[in-house]
Amino acid sequence: MSNNPFPLPKEKLLEAYTKMKTIREFEERLHVEFAKGDIPGFVHLYAGEEASGTGIMMHLEDKDRIASTHRGHGHCIAKGVEVEGMMAEIYGKSTGTGHGKGGSMHIADLSKGMMGANGILGAGAPLICGAALASKFRGDGGVGITFFGDGASNQGTVLESMNLAAVWNLPVIFVVENNGYAESTSIDYAVAVDSYIDRAAGFGIPGVTVDGTDFFAVYEAAGEIIKRAREGGGPAFLECKMVRFFGHFEGDAQTYRAKGENEENRANKDCIKIFRSKVSGAGVISEAELNKIDDEVLARIEASVQRAKKDPLPTAKDLLTDVYVSY
Amino acid sequence: MAPLVGIVANPVSASDIRRIVSNASTLQVTDRANIILRVLSALRACGVTDVLMMPEKSGIRRHITRAYERAANLKEDIFPELHVVRQDITSTVRDTVRATAAMREAGCKIIIVLGGDGTHRAVVSQCGDIPIAGISTGTNNAFPEHREPTITGMAVGLAAMGKVPEAFAFEGNKRLDITIGDTIKDIAIVDVAVVTERFVGAKAIWKPENFRELFVTFSDPEVIGMSAIAGLLEPVSRREAHGLMVNLAPPHEAKTLLNVPFAPGIIGAIGVNSVRRMPAGVPYKLDFPAGTIALDGERELAFDQSDDVTITLVKDAFRTVNVSAIMRYASQHGLMKVKAK
């Protein structure tokens, strides 16, 4: 009997860990760098939520499309976007994924099926319906996944998209990454029916809630949901309950949090610690192997920051390029 | 006044992967709130003035609060006073466990439980000698009986007010204890299933090729879930002293195949090798190298060769409210009669 009790072979477990760790270090480093004032615009960090994006994206191929949120770095990395181009984009440099014109909230890489982070709450949902409709027409078996938070779930675009996806039986998965805070507004104040699963049920879409701090819970549930959508089973809804280590945005004083909440989250709800404990406890991946990945990831993030700082800014003559797309 | 009745309502039951792999129901939060409101008015009608409820932040209590406000506006005095357990809310099963312990400490005479088999198991882990009354709002719901919650509320109200002798009102139930080494690690109130998946993951079990062993406290051919396998082999009532042990196998290796509703709307072939009665009080040593133990339908404990796992059936382990007996008693003794004006 194999000594690997997990539903992925060791090389895939290593890949998942590398992705989660890359997201974490990318965000931890941005937290530091943003405070120095060198980064234009705003950043919204995904640290703490890595198991959700990674657990879902481990099932996807480049032909599968995702539409992300303003908190999109983790989705980008999990979908395979290169961190060097992302870092340069966040620094506003011409070597970035959007040639430095979009910044953190507009990172996209269509070659990887990443349709873009999005500064408009709930705007990814109709986009992904379009991508899923295209896949359905082409018959290529592609699926579309849109991420949004508990706040954006109130947007009309999200609700209209759920209706459209149900009516057209689109291969769309709506993923609400529920970190408990809609920016700083309590769910009690802003949401009439707090259960996201209930909302999906209202459109005849099946919904599932999983522990978003457990990579394996997300991975298994997402696998069934994505397989179903790929085979024509229609849209589904997935709620990942998770924690966010940083504020809504960098600079958020987080006065809405309970005393000690961040410390508790870091100590007991860290999805990377939980993953490490499971795979090393089962004897599948050693601590030394995980530490080696940590070192490699740190070196890559360091190099991407140094490169981004040195790379050139876009020039005035670039102002009107990349504005329109030719069809 | 001290609350006589506690209510545990799990806001997140019926939201697991079985919504995807089968057409299992989603019971909406508003429905859960309406069930509780019906129970509350039934309790009040039977004389219960104070009820203690588990806190949650999925919106059940906010719907109830709005209903209380509407009743006050309409000058309808139909609800008991509602108290809420003071505890941090984790939105996990820990809320159920801690709220049950708090209700026991507060002196509740009966705890009403809204949930499926998993929620009832969590309550039983803490309720001690306090009887529970189940209302089915989960996925498999083999344990809680299917009944209009108003009637459950009335029966609980009559029993809590002491209008029905305990001998009629309550009955004992069996439990399965799972021991690893010398420690009881967990319990089940309906079934313990051993499956080959070696990780907990999304918890639910729905792949028959992975089923290997099954232990049940009772078996009923009218229920769904893992215990339905036993129910279709040999029905065993909740009151009989024994349970059942069923040795399962992948369908292509099994001695016999049985079509079983092992999840809502899914009737599939299950491989069965043998079925035996399980006497109470006799530890059964698990003879399987590695896998996961699913308790009342959810994978909870991963084990391997290094773990010494035993499963024991325990008689009279906890008490439930016998709604049928109470309502018959109420009818025979005119408990609901009121004086004509």
PDB file of all heavy atoms in Angstrom, chain A residues 188-212:
ATOM      1  N   ASP A 188     -24.252  41.159   9.151  1.00  0.00           N
ATOM      2  CA  ASP A 188     -25.545  41.365   9.811  1.00  0.00           C
ATOM      3  C   ASP A 188     -26.216  42.645   9.323  1.00  0.00           C
ATOM      4  O   ASP A 188     -27.428  42.744   9.275  1.00  0.00           O
ATOM      5  CB  ASP A 188     -25.367  41.485  11.337  1.00  0.00           C
ATOM      6  CG  ASP A 188     -24.873  40.195  11.944  1.00  0.00           C
ATOM      7  OD1 ASP A 188     -24.807  39.204  11.198  1.00  0.00           O
ATOM      8  OD2 ASP A 188     -24.548  40.185  13.130  1.00  0.00           O
ATOM      9  N   TYR A 189     -25.400  43.625   8.989  1.00  0.00           N
ATOM     10  CA  TYR A 189     -25.916  44.939   8.621  1.00  0.00           C
ATOM     11  C   TYR A 189     -26.345  44.977   7.161  1.00  0.00           C
ATOM     12  O   TYR A 189     -27.284  45.686   6.803  1.00  0.00           O
ATOM     13  CB  TYR A 189     -24.808  45.969   8.869  1.00  0.00           C
ATOM     14  CG  TYR A 189     -25.195  47.389   8.567  1.00  0.00           C
ATOM     15  CD1 TYR A 189     -25.938  48.139   9.476  1.00  0.00           C
ATOM     16  CD2 TYR A 189     -24.807  47.989   7.373  1.00  0.00           C
ATOM     17  CE1 TYR A 189     -26.294  49.439   9.196  1.00  0.00           C
ATOM     18  CE2 TYR A 189     -25.153  49.295   7.084  1.00  0.00           C
ATOM     19  CZ  TYR A 189     -25.899  50.017   7.995  1.00  0.00           C
ATOM     20  OH  TYR A 189     -26.248  51.301   7.715  1.00  0.00           O
ATOM     21  N   ALA A 190     -25.651  44.198   6.318  1.00  0.00           N
ATOM     22  CA  ALA A 190     -25.772  44.438   4.889  1.00  0.00           C
ATOM     23  C   ALA A 190     -26.473  43.352   4.092  1.00  0.00           C
ATOM     24  O   ALA A 190     -26.790  43.561   2.927  1.00  0.00           O
ATOM     25  CB  ALA A 190     -24.374  44.655   4.295  1.00  0.00           C
ATOM     26  N   VAL A 191     -26.701  42.205   4.680  1.00  0.00           N
ATOM     27  CA  VAL A 191     -27.199  41.077   3.886  1.00  0.00           C
ATOM     28  C   VAL A 191     -28.499  40.553   4.488  1.00  0.00           C
ATOM     29  O   VAL A 191     -28.544  40.211   5.665  1.00  0.00           O
ATOM     30  CB  VAL A 191     -26.146  39.940   3.836  1.00  0.00           C
ATOM     31  CG1 VAL A 191     -26.588  38.860   2.866  1.00  0.00           C
ATOM     32  CG2 VAL A 191     -24.788  40.477   3.419  1.00  0.00           C
ATOM     33  N   ALA A 192     -29.549  40.491   3.663  1.00  0.00           N
ATOM     34  CA  ALA A 192     -30.856  40.072   4.178  1.00  0.00           C
ATOM     35  C   ALA A 192     -30.879  38.577   4.470  1.00  0.00           C
ATOM     36  O   ALA A 192     -31.397  38.139   5.479  1.00  0.00           O
ATOM     37  CB  ALA A 192     -31.948  40.421   3.181  1.00  0.00           C
ATOM     38  N   VAL A 193     -30.349  37.781   3.571  1.00  0.00           N
ATOM     39  CA  VAL A 193     -30.255  36.332   3.775  1.00  0.00           C
ATOM     40  C   VAL A 193     -28.786  35.972   3.684  1.00  0.00           C
ATOM     41  O   VAL A 193     -28.184  36.038   2.624  1.00  0.00           O
ATOM     42  CB  VAL A 193     -31.072  35.564   2.714  1.00  0.00           C
ATOM     43  CG1 VAL A 193     -30.899  34.065   2.901  1.00  0.00           C
ATOM     44  CG2 VAL A 193     -32.534  35.928   2.803  1.00  0.00           C
ATOM     45  N   ASP A 194     -28.220  35.622   4.831  1.00  0.00           N
ATOM     46  CA  ASP A 194     -26.763  35.532   4.912  1.00  0.00           C
ATOM     47  C   ASP A 194     -26.182  34.290   4.255  1.00  0.00           C
ATOM     48  O   ASP A 194     -25.003  34.234   3.981  1.00  0.00           O
ATOM     49  CB  ASP A 194     -26.301  35.509   6.373  1.00  0.00           C
ATOM     50  CG  ASP A 194     -27.091  36.431   7.251  1.00  0.00           C
ATOM     51  OD1 ASP A 194     -28.222  36.747   6.888  1.00  0.00           O
ATOM     52  OD2 ASP A 194     -26.591  36.819   8.304  1.00  0.00           O
ATOM     53  N   SER A 195     -26.991  33.286   4.038  1.00  0.00           N
ATOM     54  CA  SER A 195     -26.447  32.037   3.506  1.00  0.00           C
ATOM     55  C   SER A 195     -26.308  32.123   1.990  1.00  0.00           C
ATOM     56  O   SER A 195     -27.281  32.340   1.274  1.00  0.00           O
ATOM     57  CB  SER A 195     -27.364  30.865   3.874  1.00  0.00           C
ATOM     58  OG  SER A 195     -27.032  29.748   3.093  1.00  0.00           O
ATOM     59  N   TYR A 196     -25.090  31.936   1.529  1.00  0.00           N
ATOM     60  CA  TYR A 196     -24.841  31.984   0.088  1.00  0.00           C
ATOM     61  C   TYR A 196     -25.442  30.760  -0.589  1.00  0.00           C
ATOM     62  O   TYR A 196     -25.875  30.817  -1.734  1.00  0.00           O
ATOM     63  CB  TYR A 196     -23.338  32.093  -0.173  1.00  0.00           C
ATOM     64  CG  TYR A 196     -22.787  33.298   0.537  1.00  0.00           C
ATOM     65  CD1 TYR A 196     -22.095  33.179   1.728  1.00  0.00           C
ATOM     66  CD2 TYR A 196     -23.063  34.565   0.045  1.00  0.00           C
ATOM     67  CE1 TYR A 196     -21.660  34.294   2.403  1.00  0.00           C
ATOM     68  CE2 TYR A 196     -22.639  35.688   0.713  1.00  0.00           C
ATOM     69  CZ  TYR A 196     -21.928  35.540   1.901  1.00  0.00           C
ATOM     70  OH  TYR A 196     -21.530  36.654   2.566  1.00  0.00           O
ATOM     71  N   ILE A 197     -25.458  29.672   0.136  1.00  0.00           N
ATOM     72  CA  ILE A 197     -26.035  28.452  -0.411  1.00  0.00           C
ATOM     73  C   ILE A 197     -27.531  28.667  -0.678  1.00  0.00           C
ATOM     74  O   ILE A 197     -28.073  28.198  -1.672  1.00  0.00           O
ATOM     75  CB  ILE A 197     -25.842  27.275   0.578  1.00  0.00           C
ATOM     76  CG1 ILE A 197     -24.357  27.096   0.904  1.00  0.00           C
ATOM     77  CG2 ILE A 197     -26.431  25.999   0.043  1.00  0.00           C
ATOM     78  CD1 ILE A 197     -23.471  26.901  -0.281  1.00  0.00           C
ATOM     79  N   ASP A 198     -28.175  29.409   0.210  1.00  0.00           N
ATOM     80  CA  ASP A 198     -29.596  29.712   0.025  1.00  0.00           C
ATOM     81  C   ASP A 198     -29.813  30.508  -1.251  1.00  0.00           C
ATOM     82  O   ASP A 198     -30.775  30.306  -1.981  1.00  0.00           O
ATOM     83  CB  ASP A 198     -30.120  30.548   1.200  1.00  0.00           C
ATOM     84  CG  ASP A 198     -30.357  29.708   2.439  1.00  0.00           C
ATOM     85  OD1 ASP A 198     -29.920  28.549   2.443  1.00  0.00           O
ATOM     86  OD2 ASP A 198     -30.956  30.228   3.388  1.00  0.00           O
ATOM     87  N   ARG A 199     -28.927  31.453  -1.490  1.00  0.00           N
ATOM     88  CA  ARG A 199     -29.085  32.276  -2.694  1.00  0.00           C
ATOM     89  C   ARG A 199     -28.978  31.413  -3.937  1.00  0.00           C
ATOM     90  O   ARG A 199     -29.743  31.556  -4.879  1.00  0.00           O
ATOM     91  CB  ARG A 199     -28.011  33.345  -2.735  1.00  0.00           C
ATOM     92  CG  ARG A 199     -28.204  34.361  -1.668  1.00  0.00           C
ATOM     93  CD  ARG A 199     -27.240  35.485  -1.889  1.00  0.00           C
ATOM     94  NE  ARG A 199     -27.442  36.463  -0.838  1.00  0.00           N
ATOM     95  CZ  ARG A 199     -26.997  37.690  -0.906  1.00  0.00           C
ATOM     96  NH1 ARG A 199     -26.322  38.089  -1.953  1.00  0.00           N
ATOM     97  NH2 ARG A 199     -27.217  38.522   0.076  1.00  0.00           N
ATOM     98  N   ALA A 200     -27.977  30.528  -3.938  1.00  0.00           N
ATOM     99  CA  ALA A 200     -27.794  29.646  -5.092  1.00  0.00           C
ATOM    100  C   ALA A 200     -29.035  28.779  -5.271  1.00  0.00           C
ATOM    101  O   ALA A 200     -29.521  28.591  -6.395  1.00  0.00           O
ATOM    102  CB  ALA A 200     -26.552  28.784  -4.893  1.00  0.00           C
ATOM    103  N   ALA A 201     -29.560  28.270  -4.149  1.00  0.00           N
ATOM    104  CA  ALA A 201     -30.745  27.404  -4.222  1.00  0.00           C
ATOM    105  C   ALA A 201     -31.915  28.147  -4.860  1.00  0.00           C
ATOM    106  O   ALA A 201     -32.735  27.549  -5.564  1.00  0.00           O
ATOM    107  CB  ALA A 201     -31.117  26.915  -2.826  1.00  0.00           C
ATOM    108  N   GLY A 202     -31.970  29.450  -4.639  1.00  0.00           N
ATOM    109  CA  GLY A 202     -33.030  30.262  -5.236  1.00  0.00           C
ATOM    110  C   GLY A 202     -32.994  30.248  -6.753  1.00  0.00           C
ATOM    111  O   GLY A 202     -34.007  30.497  -7.413  1.00  0.00           O
ATOM    112  N   PHE A 203     -31.821  29.968  -7.321  1.00  0.00           N
ATOM    113  CA  PHE A 203     -31.691  29.878  -8.778  1.00  0.00           C
ATOM    114  C   PHE A 203     -31.624  28.421  -9.244  1.00  0.00           C
ATOM    115  O   PHE A 203     -31.324  28.150 -10.403  1.00  0.00           O
ATOM    116  CB  PHE A 203     -30.418  30.604  -9.243  1.00  0.00           C
ATOM    117  CG  PHE A 203     -30.458  32.089  -9.005  1.00  0.00           C
ATOM    118  CD1 PHE A 203     -29.787  32.654  -7.935  1.00  0.00           C
ATOM    119  CD2 PHE A 203     -31.182  32.910  -9.847  1.00  0.00           C
ATOM    120  CE1 PHE A 203     -29.828  34.016  -7.705  1.00  0.00           C
ATOM    121  CE2 PHE A 203     -31.234  34.277  -9.626  1.00  0.00           C
ATOM    122  CZ  PHE A 203     -30.557  34.833  -8.544  1.00  0.00           C
ATOM    123  N   GLY A 204     -31.843  27.505  -8.316  1.00  0.00           N
ATOM    124  CA  GLY A 204     -31.762  26.084  -8.679  1.00  0.00           C
ATOM    125  C   GLY A 204     -30.336  25.613  -8.868  1.00  0.00           C
ATOM    126  O   GLY A 204     -30.084  24.606  -9.530  1.00  0.00           O
ATOM    127  N   ILE A 205     -29.387  26.339  -8.293  1.00  0.00           N
ATOM    128  CA  ILE A 205     -27.973  25.962  -8.410  1.00  0.00           C
ATOM    129  C   ILE A 205     -27.547  25.284  -7.113  1.00  0.00           C
ATOM    130  O   ILE A 205     -27.737  25.851  -6.032  1.00  0.00           O
ATOM    131  CB  ILE A 205     -27.101  27.221  -8.666  1.00  0.00           C
ATOM    132  CG1 ILE A 205     -27.477  27.853 -10.009  1.00  0.00           C
ATOM    133  CG2 ILE A 205     -25.618  26.877  -8.630  1.00  0.00           C
ATOM    134  CD1 ILE A 205     -26.737  29.163 -10.307  1.00  0.00           C
ATOM    135  N   PRO A 206     -26.972  24.082  -7.190  1.00  0.00           N
ATOM    136  CA  PRO A 206     -26.535  23.432  -5.949  1.00  0.00           C
ATOM    137  C   PRO A 206     -25.343  24.144  -5.338  1.00  0.00           C
ATOM    138  O   PRO A 206     -24.464  24.629  -6.060  1.00  0.00           O
ATOM    139  CB  PRO A 206     -26.157  22.018  -6.393  1.00  0.00           C
ATOM    140  CG  PRO A 206     -25.839  22.140  -7.842  1.00  0.00           C
ATOM    141  CD  PRO A 206     -26.684  23.258  -8.370  1.00  0.00           C
ATOM    142  N   GLY A 207     -25.326  24.216  -4.031  1.00  0.00           N
ATOM    143  CA  GLY A 207     -24.250  24.921  -3.339  1.00  0.00           C
ATOM    144  C   GLY A 207     -23.609  24.058  -2.274  1.00  0.00           C
ATOM    145  O   GLY A 207     -24.268  23.214  -1.666  1.00  0.00           O
ATOM    146  N   VAL A 208     -22.334  24.282  -2.075  1.00  0.00           N
ATOM    147  CA  VAL A 208     -21.559  23.499  -1.114  1.00  0.00           C
ATOM    148  C   VAL A 208     -20.716  24.455  -0.281  1.00  0.00           C
ATOM    149  O   VAL A 208     -20.154  25.413  -0.816  1.00  0.00           O
ATOM    150  CB  VAL A 208     -20.615  22.520  -1.852  1.00  0.00           C
ATOM    151  CG1 VAL A 208     -19.720  21.782  -0.870  1.00  0.00           C
ATOM    152  CG2 VAL A 208     -21.399  21.540  -2.692  1.00  0.00           C
ATOM    153  N   THR A 209     -20.641  24.189   1.011  1.00  0.00           N
ATOM    154  CA  THR A 209     -19.758  24.958   1.885  1.00  0.00           C
ATOM    155  C   THR A 209     -18.594  24.077   2.316  1.00  0.00           C
ATOM    156  O   THR A 209     -18.819  22.929   2.702  1.00  0.00           O
ATOM    157  CB  THR A 209     -20.518  25.439   3.135  1.00  0.00           C
ATOM    158  OG1 THR A 209     -21.589  26.273   2.710  1.00  0.00           O
ATOM    159  CG2 THR A 209     -19.611  26.231   4.062  1.00  0.00           C
ATOM    160  N   VAL A 210     -17.382  24.609   2.228  1.00  0.00           N
ATOM    161  CA  VAL A 210     -16.226  23.835   2.713  1.00  0.00           C
ATOM    162  C   VAL A 210     -15.354  24.711   3.608  1.00  0.00           C
ATOM    163  O   VAL A 210     -15.426  25.942   3.557  1.00  0.00           O
ATOM    164  CB  VAL A 210     -15.332  23.280   1.569  1.00  0.00           C
ATOM    165  CG1 VAL A 210     -16.049  22.224   0.783  1.00  0.00           C
ATOM    166  CG2 VAL A 210     -14.808  24.382   0.682  1.00  0.00           C
ATOM    167  N   ASP A 211     -14.535  24.025   4.379  1.00  0.00           N
ATOM    168  CA  ASP A 211     -13.554  24.696   5.215  1.00  0.00           C
ATOM    169  C   ASP A 211     -12.412  25.166   4.307  1.00  0.00           C
ATOM    170  O   ASP A 211     -11.594  24.374   3.862  1.00  0.00           O
ATOM    171  CB  ASP A 211     -13.047  23.718   6.277  1.00  0.00           C
ATOM    172  CG  ASP A 211     -11.932  24.317   7.128  1.00  0.00           C
ATOM    173  OD1 ASP A 211     -11.566  25.486   6.898  1.00  0.00           O
ATOM    174  OD2 ASP A 211     -11.432  23.608   8.022  1.00  0.00           O
ATOM    175  N   GLY A 212     -12.383  26.461   4.049  1.00  0.00           N
ATOM    176  CA  GLY A 212     -11.390  27.007   3.123  1.00  0.00           C
ATOM    177  C   GLY A 212      -9.981  27.060   3.683  1.00  0.00           C
ATOM    178  O   GLY A 212      -9.056  27.444   2.973  1.00  0.00           O
TER     179      GLY A 212
END
